């Protein structure tokens, strides 16, 4: 039984380290469900965590949808 304990502890430690080192999406909560991320990819990754569709907003605090995917910092909602 002790023979299997050491590899089991090693595997559990490796799994825990893998979960801790996983990068988290960079998100800033603005107000009333409006979010801001440094890139469109970060925004998509964040909304994908919840399985929610997303829409980009045209300006900070504006509910008007953006005409296309903005470059650089994005403001969006996960609906």
């Amino acid at each position: 039984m002790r023979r299997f304990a050491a590899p089991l502890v090693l595997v559990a430690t490796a799994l825990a380290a893998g979960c801790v080192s996983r990068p988290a999406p960079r998100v800033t909560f603005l107000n009333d469900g409006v979010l801001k991320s440094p890139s469109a990819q970060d925004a998509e990754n964040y909304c994908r965590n919840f399985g929610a569709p997303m829409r980009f907003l045209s300006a900070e605090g504006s509910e008007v949808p953006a005409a296309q995917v903005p470059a650089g910092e994005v403001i969006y909602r996960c609906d």
Side-chain angles (χ1 to χ4, degrees):
M1 186 68 169
R2 289 184 182 182
R3 189 172 153 187
F4 295 109
L8 183 61
V9 169
L10 181 62
V11 168
T13 304
L15 287 173
C19 292
V20 170
S21 66
R22 194 166 121 205
R26 296 172 289 183
V27 176
T28 303
F29 296 89
L30 299 178
N31 60 4
D32 196 29
V34 177
L35 308 163
K36 178 172 68 170
S37 288
S39 71
Q41 184 63 39
D42 285 330
E44 290 172 10
N45 290 341
Y46 180 74
C47 288
R48 190 178 306 137
N49 284 337
F50 309 107
M54 67 175 296
R55 69 183 149 120
F56 294 107
L57 303 176
S58 59
E60 188 170 336
S62 171
E63 291 295 321
V64 178
Q68 59 188 12
V69 175
E73 190 172 75
V74 295
I75 297 168
Y76 60 98
R77 292 182 75 101
C78 296
D79 294 327

